[in-house]
Amino acid sequence: MDSKHTLIDTSLPAAPERRDFLKGALSVMGSTTLLGALPAGIASSAWAAGSDKPEKTEVKVGFIPLTDCASVIVASKMGFDKKYGITIVPSKEASWAAVRDKMVNGELDAAHVLYGLMYGVHLGIGGPKKDMAVLMTLNQNGQGITLSNQLKAKGITNGAALAKLIKAEPREYTFAQTFPTGTHAMWLYYWLAAQGINPMSDVKTIVVPPPQMVANMRVDNMDGYCVGEPWNARAIADNIGFTVATTQQIWAGHPEKVLGSTGDWVKQNPNTARALVAALLDASRYIDDVKNRASVAKLISDKAYVNAPEPVIEGRFMGAYEDGLGKKWQDPNLMKFFDGGKVNFPYLSDGMWFLTQHKRWGLLKADPDYLGVAKQINQIALYKEAAAMAKVAVPGSDLRSAKLIDGVVWDGKDPKGYAASFKIRA
Amino acid sequence: MVLASPFLCNREMTVLTVMLVNDGSGKAAALKEALTQAGVRVIAEVEVSLRLGEMIDSIRPDIVLIDSDAPSRDMLEHVCVVSAHSERPVVMFTDDARRDTIRAALSAGVAAYVVGEVVPERIQPLLEVAIERYSLERERREEMDNMRQRLADRQVVEKAKGLLMQMKGIGEDEAYRQLRERAMKAQKKLGDVAREVVELANWLKG
């Protein structure tokens, strides 16, 4: 076995090279001359020959098939990356665990990733511990909680009725989210608790990959789930569930996905990181322009990206909501990507909020240094430089304030007190 | 499903029990064979389901192996976190000192989740088997791809030769020589140049 092992180790590196050569040859084939390979180099040297030249020009960015990966795709497809001397290579990933592992082992430079996950990895909750960096927020709002049509048939169409049912007819109620430390887990837990349901003891929670939510609800006995769009709209289109709450009803303007990387990667590639943030800011601005949204919905619906029918993506992406119970509305708090840059600033209060919820639900055993951790992860100085490059305004404060669905205000000023203030907790 | 290797059961590795999660890619079956041959006790091979957590609870393996690109890995992450409170913790194989092994395992295509307290030294040989198995499979896949590519190249070169012979009224050897020369000048592969010729000819024909 030993000799075989050596054999494999030495022969393996050759394989990717061969493949790369082939790929290179194929891409050159289409053009008439070898010049096809040059523009990236020319573009970057023309853009910046000085000290702010990107350390690496090809940036591999992971994403999960969800509507809110749009800015990564748009930045790459519409050439916003080239403007800043980089080439974004979007890489579709199958799980958040894979996104995390590939960032940690360097296979991915950065990723479209759940806010809470970044903080979880930084503190080593349930997995590897590695210093992480949040470069910018990619979007606000646009996730949702779906309940099954079986519950609807029993007359359960809101949270209060659900809470009553769980008390009156005890059984194992199962709710799915997408990652233990992630955003959907926190929205689901927060919403359940606001209805008087303890997510840790009154129901069972599981994790299901986003694209599989709908199928699992159809075949299994799942009562509800929290996930990003288009997978709540899809449940309605497939007639298996309805939207009991959007996440903007839980927190209007909540932070959602971020552009993440490891702390080491930012330290080693500060110029690339700035260029990446600037390119994504341009893309975010483009997406938030109403007249571009329909074409962006079409672009991301492709099999290579979200892989869902365009109409299922487009409705809620444009703010046109229908809850599956007959109620229709135009949502002012639709999924936002830019909002004049207000979406993208990596507020310390946003990051700290996830820590308070991790503490609330027992994922963190003790209070962390809330502010210290947030300052370490959220790259505010770098973000400001990138915002200047993309001519995007930055807010005056690193903290912001919001009143959540239960009437409690979060302003980031007393995280420890806030985390301890909830009656329903782990 | 219980599988034990009768003639290797006194090797120390047999003490570790493994649960394989089959995500439908077919890799699990090959891995099971390799592990069994190496004397690792694969006590269960399970399909992905929402009951993954309960299955781990009832089967109680030492280690859960899964394709590192399987979407259901996130389910296992949750099981890890949830059961971190229970008496029999599930932890991910993430011992920092072993980062190289983990990296190799992940890039080979396998992720391991350790159930309960297992000494890292005992996981190492098991992962080596897994890495080797996955690497072999990848190598085979790449070989297949290369073969397919070579076959396609040969076919298109034949076609381009034919076109040149017809259009320029030259012999087969001369047509081949001209193709080669063009490829060398352009620093391209012969197959790619041949493909250009064929495409151009198709276009000219309209």
Side-chain angles (χ1 to χ4, degrees):
Chain A
M1 191 171 78
D2 264 3
S3 62
K4 241 201 258 168
H5 203 92
T6 322
L7 194 99
I8 289 157
D9 282 347
T10 49
S11 66
L12 255 183
E17 275 168 32
R18 271 205 307 273
R19 227 182 17 212
D20 285 350
F21 171 71
L22 210 65
K23 245 192 272 164
L26 285 172
S27 69
V28 169
M29 183 192 98
S31 58
T32 44
T33 66
L34 272 172
L35 271 176
L38 291 178
I42 288 173
S44 60
S45 58
W47 172 74
S51 59
D52 50 356
K53 189 178 186 303
E55 296 81 3
K56 59 187 298 183
T57 52
E58 194 177 288
V59 191
K60 203 169 167 196
V61 182
F63 72 91
I64 292 280
L66 290 163
T67 304
D68 54 25
C69 74
S71 45
V72 173
I73 308 306
V74 166
S76 155
K77 293 301 258 188
M78 314 276 305
F80 292 117
D81 50 354
K82 301 289 185 301
K83 185 175 156 193
Y84 298 99
I86 56 168
T87 299
I88 293 175
V89 181
S91 172
K92 187 169 175 169
E93 302 297 336
S95 70
W96 293 115
V99 169
R100 173 202 60 206
D101 292 341
K102 288 179 182 179
M103 276 196 286
V104 167
N105 74 23
E107 258 182 79
L108 289 174
D109 294 303
H112 153 254
V113 62
L114 301 162
Y115 214 136
L117 181 152
M118 296 297 291
Y119 276 69
V121 175
H122 190 87
L123 296 172
I125 299 175
K129 184 175 186 305
K130 172 100 179 163
D131 283 359
M132 300 306 277
V134 166
L135 305 176
M136 69 188 283
T137 302
L138 292 178
N139 71 297
Q140 293 179 346
N141 309 328
Q143 325 293 303
I145 297 176
T146 290
L147 293 186
S148 73
N149 273 358
Q150 280 89 329
L151 287 176
K152 184 165 91 174
K154 287 180 76 101
I156 310 301
T157 55
N158 58 48
L162 177 68
K164 225 191 233 168
L165 178 77
I166 290 174
K167 284 213 169 61
E169 293 179 32
R171 63 169 170 89
E172 191 172 70
Y173 289 87
T174 306
F175 288 85
Q177 32 92 356
T178 61
F179 198 80
T181 53
T183 53
H184 304 114
M186 299 309 131
W187 310 136
L188 178 68
Y189 299 170
Y190 202 97
W191 182 80
L192 286 170
Q195 317 303 322
I197 302 164
N198 188 322
M200 301 293 126
S201 49
D202 295 341
V203 299
K204 182 186 162 197
T205 60
I206 55 169
V207 159
V208 171
Q212 292 169 23
M213 284 289 185
V214 176
N216 273 311
M217 188 178 255
R218 188 181 290 123
V219 298
D220 275 289
N221 227 355
M222 208 156 86
D223 297 287
Y225 60 69
C226 180
V227 71
E229 298 300 347
W231 310 116
N232 297 290
R234 186 70 196 257
I236 297 169
D238 288 11
N239 198 30
I240 58 136
F242 66 98
T243 301
V244 70
T246 63
T247 51
Q248 51 267 34
Q249 284 163 353
I250 299 169
W251 174 355
H254 71 77
E256 179 51 41
K257 303 299 184 301
V258 294
L259 177 67
S261 75
T262 63
D264 288 342
W265 188 84
V266 183
K267 278 192 201 104
Q268 285 152 17
N269 305 282
N271 298 336
T272 307
R274 261 188 299 270
L276 182 60
V277 172
L280 284 168
L281 280 170
D282 276 0
S284 304
R285 178 161 36 205
Y286 180 87
I287 297 167
D288 256 14
D289 189 336
V290 177
K291 66 177 191 291
N292 297 328
R293 282 231 169 179
S295 64
V296 171
K298 187 171 162 53
L299 172 69
I300 64 172
S301 68
D302 191 89
K303 198 159 169 269
Y305 308 121
V306 183
N307 190 20
E310 189 189 335
V312 170
I313 294 178
E314 195 186 289
R316 292 187 171 191
F317 193 52
M318 309 280 279
Y321 274 73
E322 201 277 300
D323 64 0
L325 297 168
K327 192 179 156 211
K328 284 185 182 174
W329 72 99
Q330 181 64 33
D331 203 324
N333 295 311
L334 75 171
M335 185 183 284
K336 288 182 185 169
F337 291 84
F338 188 62
D339 198 10
K342 289 206 271 297
V343 167
N344 313 99
F345 190 80
Y347 290 98
L348 298 177
S349 52
D350 286 359
M352 282 192 283
W353 187 83
F354 290 99
L355 292 177
T356 68
Q357 299 305 302
H358 290 163
K359 175 66 178 56
R360 179 185 183 185
W361 303 120
L363 294 163
L364 287 170
K365 304 286 167 273
D367 283 298
D369 170 10
Y370 292 96
L371 189 60
V373 170
K375 278 184 172 166
Q376 212 182 336
I377 298 176
N378 289 21
Q379 307 291 308
I380 287 186
L382 184 125
Y383 174 86
K384 285 181 176 168
E385 290 158 5
M389 281 162 66
K391 300 188 174 57
V392 172
V394 294
S397 171
D398 296 348
L399 304 177
R400 64 177 181 137
S401 171
K403 189 193 266 186
L404 274 63
I405 191 173
D406 53 358
V408 179
V409 172
W410 163 246
D411 59 13
K413 286 182 185 138
D414 176 21
K416 194 175 165 188
Y418 177 80
S421 72
F422 297 99
K423 270 201 209 85
I424 294 180
R425 52 192 298 117
Chain B
M1 188 190 307
V2 177
L3 279 168
S5 186
F7 49 91
L8 285 165
C9 54
N10 54 352
R11 282 176 54 170
E12 59 175 322
M13 271 177 5
T14 55
V15 206
L16 280 185
T17 55
V18 170
M19 176 172 136
L20 278 173
V21 180
N22 191 346
D23 70 324
S25 71
K27 284 187 194 167
L31 185 56
K32 181 170 78 182
E33 195 191 307
L35 289 171
T36 310
Q37 275 171 14
V40 177
R41 193 158 168 249
V42 179
I43 56 168
E45 186 188 346
V46 302
E47 303 292 324
V48 171
S49 100
L50 301 187
R51 308 269 157 224
L52 214 48
E54 281 122 65
M55 280 191 233
I56 292 172
D57 273 352
S58 64
I59 294 165
R60 302 200 148 211
D62 295 314
I63 289 176
V64 180
L65 287 182
I66 185 169
D67 182 351
S68 68
D69 273 326
S72 38
R73 280 192 60 199
D74 287 343
M75 290 187 188
L76 282 169
E77 297 282 331
H78 190 63
V79 173
C80 291
V81 169
V82 170
S83 54
H85 307 276
S86 70
E87 51 165 315
R88 194 181 161 80
V90 180
V91 293
M92 250 184 331
F93 180 45
T94 52
D95 190 272
D96 263 13
R98 308 262 152 194
R99 206 162 267 288
D100 284 346
T101 309
I102 300 160
R103 185 172 304 156
L106 285 168
S107 65
V110 62
Y113 293 81
V114 177
V115 185
E117 311 288 341
V118 179
V119 190
E121 281 69 31
R122 292 169 56 206
I123 302 165
Q124 186 91 9
L126 175 130
L127 275 180
E128 273 167 17
V129 172
I131 292 165
E132 184 174 8
R133 163 55 54 183
Y134 275 74
S135 302
L136 274 173
E137 211 164 89
R138 188 172 64 177
E139 211 174 56
R140 202 181 309 140
R141 236 187 358 253
E142 271 165 14
E143 245 165 50
M144 288 269 286
D145 287 349
N146 280 338
M147 239 157 68
R148 228 171 271 138
Q149 182 68 37
R150 274 202 301 271
L151 191 67
D153 278 359
R154 203 176 306 152
Q155 281 167 344
V156 80
V157 168
E158 286 303 315
K159 199 161 177 195
K161 261 184 354 193
L163 283 165
L164 288 185
M165 286 157 69
Q166 201 186 341
M167 285 187 245
K168 297 189 167 187
I170 51 178
E172 189 178 349
D173 288 350
E174 176 59 16
Y176 185 72
R177 198 194 60 78
Q178 289 192 10
L179 274 177
R180 273 212 81 92
E181 198 180 271
R182 194 176 157 81
M184 266 153 73
K185 265 194 193 144
Q187 290 185 308
K188 288 181 190 177
K189 294 182 65 174
L190 185 64
D192 293 338
V193 167
R195 221 162 273 131
E196 284 174 3
V197 169
V198 172
E199 272 169 21
L200 203 59
N202 283 341
W203 179 69
L204 284 172
K205 276 185 211 155

